[in-house]
Amino acid sequence: MSPFDTIVVGAGIAGLAAARALTDAGRKVVVLEARDRIGGRVWTDRSDGFVTDLGASWIHGVTDSPVAVAAEAFGMRMVEFTVGGYQPDSRPIAYYGPDGTRLTDAAARRFADDIRAVDAALAGFVAGSAPDASYRDVTEQALAAQGWDAERTERAREFLEHRSEEQYGAWIEDLAAHGLDDDSIAGDEVIFPDGYDRLAAGLAADLDVRLGTVVSRVAWAEGGVTVTTDRGTFSARDAVITVPVGVLKSPGFAFDPPLPEPNAGALGRLEMNAFEKVVLRFPAKFWDDDVYAIRQQGPESRWWHSWYDLTALHGTPALLTFAAGPAAVATRSWDDDRIVESVLAQLRRLFGARVEQPSHVHVTRWQDDPFTLGSYAYMTVGSTTDDHDVLAMPIGGILHLAGEATWTDDPATVTAAMESGRRAAERILGRSI
Ligand SMILES: Cc1cc2nc3c(=O)[nH]c(=O)nc-3n(C[C@H](O)[C@H](O)[C@H](O)COP(=O)(O)OP(=O)(O)OC[C@H]3O[C@@H](n4cnc5c(N)ncnc54)[C@H](O)[C@@H]3O)c2cc1C
């Protein structure tokens, strides 16, 4: 007889939240994790003496956030940083026009008002969109409704393209019209000066986590589940599977029998994105004080358009930018130096010779990571928002899928991971927790 009631595959936030809840309820749980660490896409690097979050950084709104509640319970320090939702002007942002000069405050305000006007129209076009409409289709309708001249329209269009890329790591024509429906933020956003990974450590306390255990097959039948790994097989009554969509779709991870409908169809309509972080620490600050972010407009902004000022985190000058969507795909094969030079060329366009070489650099490689194969899932054209929840529908009372891609309200986030893990636990326990 198996010593375990439940096998949890994956020690990211979804898996840890599920295992925590089940263990607290008295179930015998084992967590199988491929990596030599917990946390998954919540991953903090400290190798160079700095604290750098290479995966998630933000809680996108602390109001009613279960992640904020957990972070407080674990004593995690938080710093307000309300620019993580690609807002046009939630906090001071230094905008640079296509010619590389900073916009006046009044011009930046007018631009932000333009974005708000497009967004107000966009909601109706999204609601009335055809099932096969892309985010490009609906944003073009909303832009046309404004009756602006070509230059003003183009500035707003490029903002909408960048928002699709930064929020979902997807090119605007590949994202479903409803792909940003969840894009609302309640309350301030925060980040973690001591690292987001403390959340994972807090959830994992005293759990039975087997690191370095790569799962390749999940066989399920009425009597229970048998999981094949490179370190032997594990059996239990039921299982919570939290591996990312990229792994679920990869040939190295098999369900036997295969995932049934409607789960399989929902999985087919979600895709992993291309989204990488570039963190640059500088010997001296060359950008203005009192701005949360730097943004540039115009043709030069195609790849590198937004830099987030992380200086307040540790008191050392630091900027975060993203290779998102097409930029991440195109630079995937580049080495770090080439990527950094490409970013610096744009910063030098704005700030000239004051831009020194960075002293420390981090470039992430989530697209090449075999245990995620991308950063998070996005809705391809033809998908529906419900596909997230449908992916998590219990299978035969035995299998429960969880993870960021399985939570319709706020997918692609740490919140989604945590909520989906708890939901899986509740379904197994047959009661709320
Ligand atoms: C660059 C980046 C920036 C982000 N920014 C934010 C942000 O600011 N705010 C936010 O809320 N979210 C952000 N996210 C998203 C957030 O990190 C994820 O939504 C969340 O961490 C996913 O948790 P999860 O438990 O669903 O998946 P994961 O964390 O991926 O956990 C799944 C686990 O399964 C393991 N696994 C995979 N394959 C196998 C296998 N074959 N056998 C055994 N184990 C396996 C993995 O190693 C992993 O530990 C970001 C993500 C990235 C990558």
Side-chain angles (χ1 to χ4, degrees), residues 9-15 32-35 37-42 54-60 196 213-216 242-244 247 253 275-277 322 364 366 370-372 374-376 402-405 412-415 417:
V9 180
I13 299 303
L32 307 177
E33 168 55 52
R35 303 177 197 272
R37 60 171 181 83
I38 61 167
R41 285 169 276 171
V42 167
L54 302 174
S57 293
W58 274 274
I59 298 179
H60 293 301
Y196 219 141
T213 306
V214 181
V215 172
S216 54
T242 73
V243 300
V247 176
F253 194 96
F275 182 77
E276 306 293 354
K277 281 181 160 180
F322 297 100
T364 64
W366 292 103
F371 302 121
T372 177
S375 281
Y376 39 88
E404 54 89 6
T413 62
V414 175
T415 306

Side-chain angles (χ1 to χ4, degrees), residues 404-424:
E404 54 89 6
T406 70
W407 189 257
T408 291
D409 272 358
D410 196 9
T413 62
V414 175
T415 306
M418 183 178 259
E419 296 272 41
S420 70
R422 288 180 175 167
R423 176 182 58 193

